[in-house]
Amino acid sequence: MSRSALTDGLIAGAVGTTALNVATYVDMTVRARPASQSPQESAGRVADVAHLDLGSPRRAENRLSGLGALMGYGLGVAAAVGFAALTRGRRQPLLRAAALLGGGAMTLADGTLTLLGVTDPRTWRRSDWLADLLPHLAYGLTAAATWNRLRPSTATGG
């Protein structure tokens, strides 16, 4: 994969992750629901496995909040970089790209949460799935549109 395709994947992932966060905050505002604790819990599990000392309980709570958000951005960027490699740097039809990017990001995020023991999607209600699906749809559409905008229309993958 070329350096420019990698860079475009990084940019598309960052833009998509921003759209995912905006969609999440709109949902929180509309439904008056609290923020998910899953990112902090995931960060806590990773910190435990890595034997990281995060400091006093108050400091640790603040660090976990930041680490959880950073892990989310990392997953969003990783999904788009993986997409860039999968497509060999080529533009894709918007809906195909959106499905691959949104589905890939959702699989990475939910798979990570499941592997870390933070959640079990088999127990989710319909509203839980919608709260997860809609922001990932926003991610997929935004990242796909960004990817296609950044890539030359006659990209040869190089």
Side-chain angles (χ1 to χ4, degrees), residues 3 21 51 63 128 146:
R3 188 175 307 178
N21 287 335
H51 303 291
R63 286 186 172 123
D128 299 326
T146 302

Side-chain angles (χ1 to χ4, degrees), residues 13 15-28 31 33 76 98 101-103 105-106 109-110 124 127-143:
V15 171
T17 302
T18 300
L20 180 145
N21 287 335
V22 168
T24 299
Y25 293 134
V26 167
D27 177 51
M28 290 168 58
R31 294 194 302 147
R33 71 169 178 85
L101 283 158
M106 190 169 168
D110 295 345
W124 293 2
S127 62
D128 299 326
W129 279 105
L130 284 173
D132 193 47
L133 179 65
L134 294 177
H136 284 98
L137 178 61
Y139 169 92
L141 286 169
T142 307

Side-chain angles (χ1 to χ4, degrees), residues 27-40:
D27 177 51
M28 290 168 58
T29 301
V30 169
R31 294 194 302 147
R33 71 169 178 85
S36 171
Q37 296 304 304
S38 295
Q40 291 90 326

